[in-house]
Structure formats: structure tokens, C-alpha cells
Amino acid sequence: MRTQIPAVLIAVGFLGLPALANPPKESLRPTARAQDPSSQVQLASAVVRPVMRPSSTIDAAPAAEPTSGNLGFQRWIDGFRQRALSSGISAKTFDRAFRNVKYNTDVIQKDRNQSEFTKTIWQYLESAASEKRIKNGKAALRNHARTLDAIERQYGVDKEVVVAIWGMESSYGEYKGDYNLIEALATLSYDGRRGKFFEGQLMAALKILQSGDTTPGKMKGSWAGAMGHTQFIPTSYLAYAVDFTGDGKRDIWSNDPTDALASTAAYLQRSGWQKGKPWGVEVKLSNGFNYGLASRKITKPPSQWASLGVTDINGRAVPDSYGSGAILLPAGGRGAAFMVFKNFRAIERYNAADAYVIGVGHLSDRFKGGPPIKGNWPEGDRALTEKERKEMQRRLNRAGFKVGKVDGRIGPNSMDAIRKYQTSKGMTPDGFPSFSLLQAMRGGKGGSGSSSSSQSPNK
């Protein structure tokens, strides 16, 4: 939950999953996909766009801090202390928080060695809604029924989606992270790739400590600064965390998940969650479906989609009572298709990756007794690496299908260029950057649909 901007800017919904910002062992939070910056909001479990540090921090930070001495780090702490005190942090709060804080080489190694995952969305969803995760989530719903019912009444957010986020973020509290948050954030502020962002998180963490909600010893989290059962970053905590237990503290760290779950519900409420309505439904597309209509920017009442041959997975029209929806093809025309509604956007504000939103939504549906995803996936294909995405963009540019800057980000311009290329080659114009399409561009076999008459498994 955040106001910060998502970071690595890789289209997870189209490309598979890149590096996680905060990987507790069982967290399933992927990096956010690329999107229009005007629509980006700050979320709790943040991955953020790399930003340059102020020159003062760049000058202070060496390329690699020695494990002993830490003179540069200590000079940075001294300078930051002045900035913190001028921002209203008391000397007592600061000195208590920074007692025994050291430069953490493990944090820097994780920050600098985030390798890109090549999981496809179907592999990701298989893990997100695994039998174990479903079973444990149903148990959590039973074990915390009274609390969850009260949270649902207070915030108007379906308890199943709150529990699904809990399961995705920390495996129902099993993996909350055990890094000293002040130490991790100070290290990243001083020597990380996104110092300005992390310094803002560090200042927010000090404000949390000054408020008395927790203590430095209890403020544990991930190496990247996400905290608690549902992995809030400090700025999001300040904006959205609530004291649901009434003990005077917004405690998202304790074994009791009440405040964390209520805070997640409060965030979703602020994001426009509509109780009792779906995030999305799996649909079937008609033969000859116009893939140019598969865009989040194009919404229609379900009855209008039905007139275009888009039905639920059982062949029935989706109810208009769900509201206007858009068609989402997270694996292109050869994968499962979804009609998504306003609640999709509410989860998206928690984490902007399509894979994450579908994972949370589908997991919550399974808690309610919903079926597995029925559409097929292009399982013989795989996600593209960043190098391969850049290669695809260069090939499109050379072929006259202009994508603009070659940056490895598959945004609207690249998708439009892919569709035009696919149309020129008689392929299904779904705009999906598959490995088989890249092979076809290279002159090999395969492609994202081999001809204009190729059939998609979701039909």
C-alpha cells in the first residue's frame, strides 16, 4: 500500500514475474507492471522505480562499504540525524532507533542482485492458489471468523479478499520478515540504488516509532522495508493503518493479525472496493474476437460484451449488475481470458501487477468454493527476459512497427506494434510478446498464433 511509484516496470501481466522487492520465503508479491504514471499510487508492499539520491548522499556513499569501521555510513547517519530532527523527530526517538544499527551488507547484496524471474503467469497462479494456500486460507477464515466479520462490517470489504492478500503477502503471517527495519532502510538510504525513496521510508519509520505504535526491537520486516502480516511500507502505514483492537496502537507486527487485516481492509475501502461484487470473472471469447478490444481502457456492460460473443466460462451472459468490465488477456489470445471490474482496480492499488491481482482475486474466489481457472494456457511457451523484450522491440522498429524507445517495457505502444506485426503475418493479433513470437521474428518456428484462423483455447 503506497504512494510510491512501482519500480522495475516490467509488464507482469504480459511477461511473467520479475524480481520481488521483498521476498519472504512464501510471499507471492510480484513487481508491478508498467503503467501510465498518472495512475500509479503508493501501496503497502512496495517495489519502486529507481530514483537518484541527493548529491549529498551520493558523495557520502562508497561503492562497497567495508564490514568494519563504517565511517562513511556513520557520517551519513550523522547528517540524516540533523534532517530527521529538523523534520520533527525527537533526539530520543532517533538515538533509540539507531542504537546498534550497522551497515548491512546482506541488504545491499539483495538490492543489487535482484535477478529477473521467468515464471509465467500460469506458473504464478498455480502457486498463488495452491491447494495448501487454499486450505490454510479457509482455516484462517474459520479461526478468525469473528474478527473478520467485524472488519467486513466496518469497512465493507469482503473478508475473503482480505485473507487472500494476507496469504499472498506473508503466508498467513508465517513469513513477515525478520530484518531490523531501521537498519535495512538506513543501509538502503545510504548505499542503495533508490536512496531518496528509502530515506523517505526511513523518516516515516521514525515517525511510527515516535507515535508509540511499536518499538525498534519489534519493528521487523523485509530487507526492502515492508512490514507485518500484509507487508505495509512505512509511508503506507502512516496513511492507512488502523487500530482495530482499540488498544491505542496500530500493531501490524504482533502474532495477532487483527490490526493488519483491518488496515488492509481500510486500504481497499479507500481504493473503491464494492462489497459483494466480483473482481472479475473468467470468460470465453467468440471465434473471430477483435483482440483490439482487449484493453483496460475499453469497458462495456456485460450485455454488450455478450452481443460480441463474450460469455462466462459456461456460455452464459455475465450479469450487468457487476458493472462495466474490460477484457484482460494476461497470456495473450492462447491463454485464459477474464472480464474485470472495479474491484480489480481496488486490488491493483494494493499491488499493480496483473498477476498479483488475478492471484488475489482467484484465491478469494476459491475460498468461496469457486472453481479452478478452466481456460488453457500456452504452456509450451515461456516469459521473455528483459534482453529478449528489448530484442523484440528492436526487431519491431526495424520492421517498421515503431515502439519508440527500446527499454524492455511492454507498454501500449509496444503492444500496438506487436498487434500490427501479427496482423501483417496472419497471426492472431493479441499483442502478446511471447517467446514463440520472438522465435518467429527471428525466422524460426512458432508465433503467437500461427495464422489469422488460429483458435484460442479460451474459446
Side-chain angles (χ1 to χ4, degrees):
M1 293 138 83
R2 28 186 184 210
T3 302
Q4 86 257 22
I5 300 174
V8 185
L9 294 179
I10 297 173
V12 174
F14 309 118
L15 307 174
L17 303 179
L20 305 182
N22 164 33
K25 293 179 183 177
E26 299 298 326
S27 172
L28 281 173
R29 179 172 14 87
T31 302
R33 62 180 170 78
Q35 58 176 236
D36 181 348
S38 66
S39 68
Q40 293 170 332
V41 281
Q42 184 160 353
L43 309 178
S45 46
V47 183
V48 295
R49 187 198 306 271
V51 292
M52 291 301 294
R53 287 171 287 167
S55 58
S56 60
T57 43
I58 294 174
D59 293 340
E65 185 70 14
T67 56
S68 62
N70 296 322
L71 295 179
F73 185 48
Q74 186 58 53
R75 285 195 298 270
W76 180 87
I77 291 175
D78 293 342
F80 178 67
R81 186 178 189 275
Q82 296 176 6
R83 297 193 291 278
L85 267 56
S86 67
S87 297
I89 301 300
S90 71
K92 179 180 179 181
T93 296
F94 188 95
D95 295 340
R96 185 183 181 203
F98 274 81
R99 187 176 300 139
N100 299 321
V101 163
K102 297 178 176 64
Y103 178 91
N104 192 317
T105 56
D106 182 56
V107 166
I108 292 300
Q109 287 173 357
K110 284 182 166 57
D111 183 53
R112 291 179 179 171
N113 296 300
Q114 296 185 67
S115 60
E116 183 178 341
F117 283 80
T118 56
K119 259 189 179 180
T120 60
I121 188 169
W122 50 95
Q123 292 168 330
Y124 177 83
L125 292 176
E126 182 179 3
S127 178
S130 68
E131 290 303 316
K132 179 180 178 181
R133 199 174 295 273
I134 294 168
K135 177 182 177 181
N136 290 347
K138 289 181 176 179
L141 282 160
R142 292 192 301 272
N143 294 339
H144 300 276
R146 180 175 296 181
T147 295
L148 289 165
D149 286 343
I151 290 171
E152 186 175 87
R153 287 193 298 271
Q154 175 71 27
Y155 297 104
V157 175
D158 300 68
K159 59 190 175 185
E160 291 84 2
V161 75
V162 173
V163 172
I165 288 175
W166 186 21
M168 295 280 279
E169 294 291 353
S170 70
S171 196
Y172 310 109
E174 188 173 356
Y175 301 99
K176 299 193 292 289
D178 58 4
Y179 283 85
N180 177 315
L181 211 77
I182 297 298
E183 181 171 280
L185 290 172
T187 299
L188 290 165
S189 299
Y190 166 65
D191 202 21
R193 297 173 296 112
R194 297 162 283 173
K196 183 177 180 180
F197 166 76
F198 284 115
E199 185 167 323
Q201 296 306 313
L202 180 56
M203 192 74 76
L206 292 172
K207 291 178 181 178
I208 295 169
L209 293 173
Q210 187 154 286
S211 73
D213 280 333
T214 190
T215 65
K218 293 180 180 178
M219 186 180 268
K220 302 286 188 179
S222 77
W223 68 264
M227 313 176 295
H229 289 266
T230 52
Q231 296 291 280
F232 278 67
I233 58 169
T235 50
S236 298
Y237 175 99
L238 291 176
Y240 304 111
V242 299
D243 171 21
F244 199 75
T245 62
D247 66 355
K249 297 180 180 180
R250 297 174 292 174
D251 188 355
I252 65 173
W253 300 272
S254 80
N255 290 332
D256 179 358
T258 298
D259 283 355
L261 298 177
S263 297
T264 301
Y267 183 82
L268 291 174
Q269 179 195 52
R270 295 269 296 274
S271 300
W273 183 267
Q274 297 180 321
K275 187 177 183 299
K277 292 193 176 183
W279 64 274
V281 295
E282 188 179 1
V283 294
K284 294 195 298 185
L285 308 180
S286 62
N287 292 331
F289 176 76
N290 177 4
Y291 284 92
L293 296 176
S295 167
R296 292 288 302 285
K297 295 181 179 180
I298 299 174
T299 61
K300 300 177 184 294
S303 57
Q304 290 188 21
W305 285 120
S307 70
L308 297 173
V310 180
T311 65
D312 71 15
I313 203 67
N314 297 311
R316 299 181 296 243
V318 176
D320 275 345
S321 60
Y322 292 172
S324 290
I327 303 303
L328 179 66
L329 305 176
R334 296 186 295 150
F338 302 89
M339 188 182 299
V340 298
F341 306 98
K342 286 185 176 180
N343 282 346
F344 186 98
R345 188 169 297 278
I347 304 171
E348 184 179 49
R349 288 172 65 100
Y350 202 95
N351 186 307
D354 285 347
Y356 179 89
V357 180
I358 297 170
V360 166
H362 180 56
L363 181 59
S364 69
D365 289 342
R366 297 301 303 275
F367 293 156
K368 299 175 184 178
I373 293 171
K374 295 182 178 180
N376 296 321
W377 298 104
E379 294 185 358
D381 217 327
R382 68 164 173 81
L384 296 182
T385 65
E386 181 181 10
K387 181 178 179 181
E388 288 168 340
R389 292 194 297 275
K390 289 179 178 178
E391 178 188 347
M392 179 174 286
Q393 290 175 323
R394 284 192 294 268
R395 288 182 179 276
L396 288 166
N397 278 336
R398 287 199 296 267
F401 303 96
K402 300 301 181 182
V403 301
K405 182 180 179 181
V406 174
D407 56 9
R409 304 171 185 176
I410 305 299
N413 290 341
S414 292
M415 291 180 65
D416 184 58
I418 290 170
R419 286 193 185 97
K420 290 176 180 177
Y421 175 88
Q422 290 169 322
T423 298
S424 74
K425 300 297 182 180
M427 300 174 180
T428 301
D430 59 8
F432 182 67
S434 65
F435 180 68
S436 57
L437 176 60
L438 180 59
Q439 286 181 305
M441 290 179 171
R442 291 168 172 171
K445 296 180 180 180
S448 183
S450 59
S451 72
S452 58
S453 61
S454 62
Q455 300 300 305
S456 297
N458 60 45
K459 297 185 179 78

